[in-house]
Amino acid sequence: MRRILFLLVLCGLETSTFGAQAGDTMMNGIAERYAHLVLALGQHDPDYVDAFYGPPEWKTQAEKEKKSLDAIGAEAAELIAALAKTPIAGDDLLQLRREYLQKQVAALAARVRMLKGEKLRFDDESRALYDAVAPTFPDSHFNQFIAQLDAKIPGKGPSRTGGSLWERYEMWRKPFVIPKEKLDTVFQLAIKECRARTLAHVALPPTESFSVEYVTNKPWGGYNWYKGNFHSVIQVNTDLPIFIDRAVDLAAHEGYPGHHVYNSLLEKNLVRDRGWLEFSVYALFSPQSLVAEGTANFGRDVAFPTKTERIKFEQEVLFPAAGIDASRADEYYAVQDLMKDLSYAGNEAARRLINGEIDENAAAQWLQKYAVMEPARAQQRVKFIQRYRSYVINYNLGEDMVRRYIEKRSGTDPEKRWSEFGKLLASPRLPSGLQEK
């Protein structure tokens, strides 16, 4: 009887293993076709392919073929049908891989429809492209934080004679601008610290590297262009003044443990070690972006687990390097905490603009009032919304979803937080998977 049971168990294990291997093999073929489709769609949408480090001839092929949107949409439907029939035999990682491909291909199909003229409302678009919908907040939600800021910022309030809150806020924070001639020094110091903290907990490829460029005339503040071979180009936009808090924010978000680390680990663990070629291409308008932006934003708090720790580093290193009065660091960050409570204001401006409820001028004015942005910064944000639309949810909603997912598993233990964060960075998990119970 024991021998029969042993053979049954062994047979079951072999069947399961065979099923998993068969599913992995089938998905390899689908993954390659998906990568080709992303490159094909990039011929119609210049923002769509954020990174590609697969075989160069694939990109050349896409440029020569120039598949029509109809052909791309039809092939996406074929891949979705094929994925539904792919066996996974209870393998958790293969389950995540199949879900990743299903969601990414579905988002690609949605982007095709949008490029063909289909109009989606803000929430419908974010659900189709990013596998998530941001909460909706009334104006009253932001008014409570506006009132707290109004009391915190020196000067007379808008109801009296001292000008609007955004004007007072801009005047108050002028002393915290990093001088342009010191920007690279400060930014490099921030990157150095974030990298050291990351390397103490995350094993990165020994050849990983990055370079920094300072650019202008962009709708964003910072961008990571991942080039493959564990190398990134981090661009910092200097159109508008850069304040001291942005040094660590950008260093962590674009570099360590943010986008650069995320892409490096995906290339190492999934593309090179497993041969999963779907990760050799990054479709910007896809569910992967919510995880990418969410982990990049939350990465700041992983690198600096307490506010006290971050302020101490900045007081001792960054403020002096920038020539800013370090004694005002606590005052500055108390206000920044209140500003973060207004982060979802940007989503509301985007939602109303995309839904046709307000025009771009009204959106800029709304951002001035409820996101406390100066006109130039509000106009820059409107340009971002017009170009990237519902992508804005990936920053704040993404951060909140990643935070809940990690902290549910790690509690308040910093070491466990790093461990769970590293696992997420190296996995194919998407937004739906962050909400699992």
Side-chain angles (χ1 to χ4, degrees):
M1 178 64 73
R2 289 179 182 175
R3 180 186 176 101
I4 293 173
L5 285 174
F6 173 76
L7 289 173
L8 286 173
V9 170
L10 181 61
C11 201
L13 286 172
E14 288 176 345
T15 301
S16 175
T17 302
F18 175 77
Q21 290 174 343
D24 205 22
T25 301
M26 288 180 66
M27 279 192 283
N28 285 343
I30 294 171
E32 184 171 330
R33 291 178 65 190
Y34 162 74
H36 281 287
L37 280 188
V38 172
L39 296 174
L41 190 52
Q43 297 299 305
H44 298 269
D45 182 350
D47 289 324
Y48 192 68
V49 181
D50 191 68
F52 175 66
Y53 47 90
E57 59 269 23
W58 289 8
K59 187 176 180 181
T60 303
Q61 180 182 341
E63 292 168 351
K64 287 181 178 178
E65 287 184 348
K66 293 193 182 299
K67 284 185 180 179
S68 69
L69 290 173
D70 285 340
I72 296 170
E75 191 167 348
E78 291 176 7
L79 294 188
I80 291 171
L83 284 164
K85 300 174 183 176
T86 303
I88 50 175
D91 186 294
D92 290 342
L93 192 58
L94 287 186
Q95 174 71 34
L96 284 176
R97 186 188 187 192
R98 184 172 72 172
E99 289 174 1
Y100 173 89
L101 281 166
Q102 287 173 323
K103 295 286 187 180
Q104 293 289 112
V105 175
L108 181 147
R111 188 66 180 174
V112 168
R113 296 194 300 273
M114 290 174 65
L115 292 174
K116 289 173 67 176
E118 182 175 321
K119 303 295 183 184
L120 293 175
R121 291 181 64 80
F122 184 85
D123 289 344
D124 294 329
E125 178 183 305
S126 73
R127 183 184 296 107
L129 296 182
Y130 309 116
D131 192 27
V133 175
T136 300
F137 293 105
D139 293 0
S140 58
H141 170 82
F142 305 107
N143 282 332
Q144 59 181 318
F145 303 118
I146 294 291
Q148 293 176 51
L149 270 171
D150 188 58
K152 199 92 172 172
I153 302 297
K156 296 180 179 180
S159 62
R160 298 183 285 272
T161 59
S164 62
L165 180 56
W166 74 257
E167 290 175 303
R168 290 163 47 219
Y169 175 61
E170 287 301 318
M171 183 64 69
W172 171 82
R173 71 172 184 159
K174 271 186 178 179
F176 300 97
V177 172
I178 303 172
K180 278 195 174 183
E181 66 274 13
K182 297 180 179 179
L183 183 58
D184 187 59
T185 297
V186 174
F187 190 47
Q188 294 291 349
L189 287 169
I191 290 178
K192 181 181 178 182
E193 181 68 14
C194 289
R195 184 173 186 270
R197 287 169 175 263
T198 300
L199 288 174
H201 301 276
V202 179
L204 293 179
T207 58
E208 62 85 16
S209 64
F210 69 91
S211 57
V212 180
E213 298 176 352
Y214 298 93
V215 299
T216 57
N217 196 30
K218 303 294 181 182
W220 35 256
Y223 211 109
N224 177 299
W225 300 100
Y226 189 68
K227 301 298 185 179
N229 291 318
F230 316 123
H231 179 72
S232 292
V233 174
I234 299 173
Q235 291 186 333
V236 179
N237 185 10
T238 59
D239 283 340
L240 297 172
I242 297 176
F243 293 86
I244 191 65
D245 59 298
R246 293 294 285 158
V248 164
D249 284 355
L250 286 171
H253 183 100
E254 307 297 346
Y256 305 88
H259 290 321
H260 174 65
V261 172
Y262 175 65
N263 286 311
S264 294
L265 290 179
L266 289 181
E267 181 177 1
K268 167 65 173 62
N269 295 323
L270 300 186
V271 178
R272 297 198 179 197
D273 291 355
R274 290 183 172 272
W276 291 3
L277 291 175
E278 65 267 36
F279 290 95
S280 68
V281 65
Y282 177 9
L284 186 66
F285 304 112
S286 72
Q288 184 180 359
S289 283
L290 186 139
V291 176
E293 301 294 1
T295 52
N297 266 4
F298 183 57
R300 297 171 301 198
D301 292 344
V302 177
F304 294 88
T306 67
K307 181 180 174 182
T308 301
E309 199 171 330
R310 173 171 173 173
I311 291 177
K312 182 176 184 294
F313 164 70
E314 295 198 15
Q315 280 181 316
E316 294 176 355
V317 180
L318 299 188
F319 276 67
I324 297 173
D325 182 1
S327 68
R328 298 187 65 189
D330 288 316
E331 172 195 353
Y332 181 73
Y333 277 102
V335 172
Q336 295 315 301
D337 287 344
L338 288 175
M339 287 296 293
K340 187 166 184 179
D341 290 329
L342 297 174
S343 68
Y344 277 86
N347 290 12
E348 292 308 318
R351 179 181 278 113
R352 297 174 191 195
L353 180 60
I354 298 304
N355 289 348
E357 298 167 14
I358 57 177
D359 62 17
E360 59 185 77
N361 290 328
Q365 291 171 6
W366 201 91
L367 287 166
Q368 289 176 51
K369 180 177 180 180
Y370 290 104
V372 196
M373 290 184 179
E374 62 171 311
R377 208 169 290 275
Q379 289 161 10
Q380 185 188 62
R381 180 64 61 87
V382 170
K383 288 180 181 177
F384 184 94
I385 293 168
Q386 290 175 317
R387 182 166 176 175
Y388 297 105
R389 298 174 60 87
S390 62
Y391 191 94
V392 296
I393 74 161
N394 294 327
Y395 299 102
N396 42 36
L397 179 63
E399 178 180 354
D400 289 345
M401 290 175 67
V402 168
R403 183 185 302 278
R404 287 192 292 267
Y405 177 83
I406 297 295
E407 291 184 347
K408 181 179 179 181
R409 287 156 178 76
S410 68
T412 58
D413 184 342
E415 290 296 327
K416 205 167 180 185
R417 175 186 277 195
W418 269 112
S419 175
E420 292 297 332
F421 186 74
K423 289 177 187 176
L424 178 57
L425 290 180
S427 81
R429 191 174 295 277
L430 287 180
S432 295
L434 296 177
Q435 302 178 72
E436 66 176 17
K437 294 181 180 180

